[in-house]
Amino acid sequence: MDDTEIWMRLALAQAEEAMKLGEVPVGAVAVLNGAVIGTGYNRKESDQDPTAHAEMIALRAAAARLNNWRLIDVTLYCTLEPCPMCAGAMIQGRLARLVYGAKDTRFGADGTIIDVLGQPAFNHRVEVVAGVLADEAGELLQRFFRLLRT
């Protein structure tokens, strides 16, 4: 198992924590120099906060850990393609790299619905790797929504 898979499995574990709370199971892990510097999972319902997405929580934790909003050299591993808000935060924070699992057919901002991350007019570009453990991330989401319907 390579490092990318290891970090994504940690993000999937974060997503499982969201699911335990009845939240949409999305998890994120921020990594710098081989060390976790921030984690997050969806808490929108729990916190009654529209910005409490897994990515936003992990980015905030990473910035606090570094005492710097510039997340240069940080990689964020996320189980789902980011929404426009989270993609914008990644650009604003100068995130170096994003690795994500499943595509988001409702809000995806890496080209699925809108291409915020690929917008050439922005002053910063985030390197993106898509599809890592996508089947597992997608299955977790499908399981959650199946449970909601029953």
Side-chain angles (χ1 to χ4, degrees):
M1 189 176 350
D2 70 5
D3 286 353
T4 299
E5 189 174 326
I6 291 168
W7 300 126
M8 187 58 77
R9 291 207 179 280
L10 286 175
L12 284 164
Q14 290 291 306
E16 291 277 0
E17 292 301 314
M19 192 162 173
K20 289 177 189 174
L21 294 174
E23 300 276 357
V24 176
V26 177
V29 176
V31 176
L32 177 64
N33 299 327
V36 173
I37 60 167
T39 62
Y41 53 85
N42 272 355
R43 296 189 51 89
K44 262 174 54 171
E45 298 296 334
S46 300
D47 294 356
Q48 289 300 294
D49 177 355
T51 69
H53 290 199
E55 302 94 323
M56 298 294 281
I57 293 167
L59 291 171
R60 286 183 196 126
R65 175 87 179 265
L66 296 175
N67 195 31
N68 194 336
W69 63 267
R70 291 173 187 87
L71 301 175
I72 298 165
D73 297 326
V74 174
T75 298
L76 185 70
Y77 295 85
C78 189
T79 59
L80 186 65
E81 178 182 6
C83 72
M85 174 184 67
C86 294
M90 292 171 196
I91 293 165
Q92 288 291 328
R94 310 302 190 264
L95 184 73
R97 186 170 175 245
L98 166 67
V99 177
Y100 70 86
K103 290 283 189 180
D104 185 344
T105 57
R106 293 185 61 220
F107 298 104
D110 181 42
T112 299
I113 300 300
I114 189 170
D115 195 7
V116 173
L117 292 170
Q119 175 53 248
F122 292 136
N123 67 335
H124 177 76
R125 296 293 293 271
V126 177
E127 176 190 339
V128 178
V129 177
V132 175
L133 300 181
D135 291 343
E136 292 177 46
E139 171 53 35
L140 184 58
L141 287 159
Q142 289 173 358
R143 186 167 22 120
F144 173 78
F145 288 112
R146 269 195 311 269
L147 288 171
L148 273 186
R149 287 189 293 271
T150 60

